[in-house]
Amino acid sequence: MLNFHDQQIQQITTTALNAADARRQVTAAYAKRTDFLRNDPLWQGNLPAIQATTLSYTALLADKLLEALRLGGSIAATFVERLWFQPAVGDGDRSTITIYLASPDKNQELLVIDGGLTEDGHLIAKNLPTLLQITAKDPDLGYPDDEVRAMSQMIKVFYTAGLRFLTIDETVLQPVDGLAFTTKFDNGQPLATMAEIKSSGNVKLSLPLDHNNVVDYSVLDDNKHDWKDLGTSDVQDDTFTWASTTIPDELVGQRLRLRVQVQASQSSPALDELFVIASTNAILMRQGSNRGQYAVDLPNHNVLTVTMDPARNQLALSYPEKTVQLIELDNQYPFIGEWLKSVLPQRRAFN
C-alpha cells in the first residue's frame, strides 16, 4: 500500500533517520495519505483498505525504528540483531508494534508500541524488569546484565521519539524524571466559622484556606439543616467565602456555621514514608523552594525532587539527569526502590 514513487516515501526509505525523525516523518506521511483516503468518495467508507494502509505505514515505522537502533551505536549489535518488530492493526485503524527478542528456543515479547502513528502513542511493558524484581532479596530480572543494559538503551531511544510508558509500575526501565503516581493525601480537620443571624437578607462567611484544596462545604443552622444552596461560594486570595442575599426570617436568631472540608496539601502518607526511609539511610530530605515541593539530597550531588499535586492526588518526581532510569538510580540508592515498593502498587495505606 506504499507508493514507492512518492518522493516523501522515497526520502524516508532511503535516508538514515534517528528515532525521533523516523516517527515524525512517517507519521506526517501517514496523515497525508489517510487524509486523502478519508476525503475521497471511493475510499472514505472502505475501512479494510484504510486498515491496510495503516498496516503498511506502521510496518514502515517499525522498520525505521529498528534501523535507528542499529545505527545509533548505543546498543550492542548482538542484541539488536535478535530484535524483530511485528506490526498489527486493531480496532478501527489504530495500530501496534510488538517488539520481540529472539533466541533459539523462543521469541520473548518485550514491549508494545501502541498507536505509534498517533499523538498519544505510548509504550506498554510486557516482560521488562519490574520494581518488585529489583527490590527482591535475591533479584532475578529474567535477563543477563548485558541484555538489561541493551533494553535500557533501547527504551531511551524510544523516549527520544516521544514514546513513553504511562504508569510508574510497568517497568523500572523508564526515566525517573517525570514519573508520577496516584496516592492518598490526608484530609485535614474541617475548617469552620460561625455567625449569628441578626436580621434577614445579607450574610457573608469567610475562612482562610492556607493553600488547601476545598473538597466540600456546608452551611448549617442550629438544627443541622444545610443552607448552602441559599447562597454562592467563591475562592479569592486563598480565602473561601460563602455569601447570601436571601436569608429568611426563620433563621433570625440562629447561628449559621460554615464548615469547609479541605484536602491538606502538605500531608501525604507516601511522602512521610519517604522521609522515614531516607532518614534511615542517612539521606537528607528537606522542603524545596516551592510550596508542596520536597528535595532529597543524594550523595552524588544530584537532587531528587518530589512535588505534591493534591488536585490530582499525585506525587511527581523530578531528576536533573533526564535519561537516568529508575533501575540505574536504584542501583546507586536502593532506598528509592524500597520506598516505591512500599507505596506501589495497590498499597491501601497509600492509595
Side-chain angles (χ1 to χ4, degrees), residues 7-285:
Q7 289 187 350
Q8 191 174 19
I9 296 297
Q10 285 182 353
Q11 181 169 352
I12 292 171
T13 57
T14 59
T15 304
L17 301 172
N18 60 37
D21 287 338
R23 186 181 179 212
R24 178 178 55 81
Q25 292 190 27
V26 174
T27 299
Y30 170 70
K32 178 181 176 182
R33 180 58 183 168
T34 53
D35 182 65
F36 165 78
L37 294 176
R38 291 189 176 107
N39 289 282
D40 186 280
L42 176 62
W43 300 110
Q44 60 188 202
N46 195 331
L47 181 59
I50 293 176
Q51 287 181 316
T53 298
T54 300
L55 184 60
S56 294
Y57 280 86
T58 304
L60 177 60
L61 176 61
D63 289 340
K64 296 304 293 186
L65 289 177
L66 185 54
E67 180 185 54
L69 296 179
R70 289 194 182 104
L71 300 178
S74 62
I75 309 172
T78 52
F79 178 84
V80 180
E81 288 170 359
R82 295 170 54 201
L83 292 175
W84 64 278
F85 291 16
Q86 183 179 49
V89 177
D91 295 336
D93 58 352
R94 189 175 181 88
S95 64
T96 59
I97 301 171
T98 302
I99 299 174
Y100 293 93
L101 181 65
S103 62
D105 57 341
K106 67 176 180 179
N107 290 305
Q108 177 79 317
E109 185 179 1
L110 299 180
L111 71 157
V112 173
I113 300 174
D114 184 18
L117 295 173
T118 66
E119 290 185 1
D120 63 346
H122 59 276
L123 305 177
I124 302 173
K126 292 298 182 179
N127 292 290
L128 297 177
T130 66
L131 184 65
L132 295 180
Q133 287 176 303
I134 69 168
T135 54
K137 288 185 178 179
D138 297 310
D140 180 8
L141 305 188
Y143 304 93
D145 291 345
D146 61 333
E147 289 184 3
V148 173
R149 286 192 295 270
M151 287 186 285
S152 171
Q153 291 299 320
M154 175 179 67
I155 290 166
K156 289 181 181 183
V157 171
F158 290 152
Y159 265 62
T160 66
L163 297 166
R164 59 194 64 240
F165 297 101
L166 297 186
T167 60
I168 189 174
D169 49 359
E170 282 187 74
T171 179
V172 289
L173 300 183
Q174 53 180 315
V176 175
D177 187 64
L179 289 179
F181 60 94
T182 301
T183 190
K184 274 184 182 177
F185 285 81
D186 287 337
N187 286 343
Q189 292 295 319
L191 307 175
T193 189
M194 180 195 68
E196 184 175 350
I197 304 303
K198 298 185 179 297
S199 62
S200 59
N202 299 339
V203 70
K204 180 185 288 187
L205 299 170
S206 297
L207 277 170
L209 293 175
D210 192 26
H211 303 286
N212 294 317
N213 296 301
V214 175
V215 177
D216 197 6
Y217 75 96
S218 59
V219 182
L220 305 176
D221 63 18
D222 292 336
N223 299 312
K224 308 299 184 186
H225 296 137
D226 193 348
W227 294 87
K228 77 176 184 179
D229 291 339
L230 204 64
T232 57
S233 64
D234 188 28
V235 176
Q236 296 258 350
D237 298 325
D238 201 35
T239 298
F240 181 91
T241 299
W242 179 85
S244 174
T245 59
T246 56
I247 296 297
D249 291 336
E250 65 185 279
L251 286 179
V252 174
Q254 292 203 50
R255 291 169 297 181
L256 282 185
R257 292 175 176 81
L258 170 63
R259 293 168 59 87
V260 180
Q261 184 72 29
V262 297
Q263 188 177 53
S265 61
Q266 297 304 303
S267 182
S268 164
L271 199 61
D272 294 340
E273 183 77 1
L274 175 59
F275 179 81
V276 171
I277 291 177
S279 298
T280 302
N281 287 271
I283 301 293
L284 174 66
M285 177 175 163

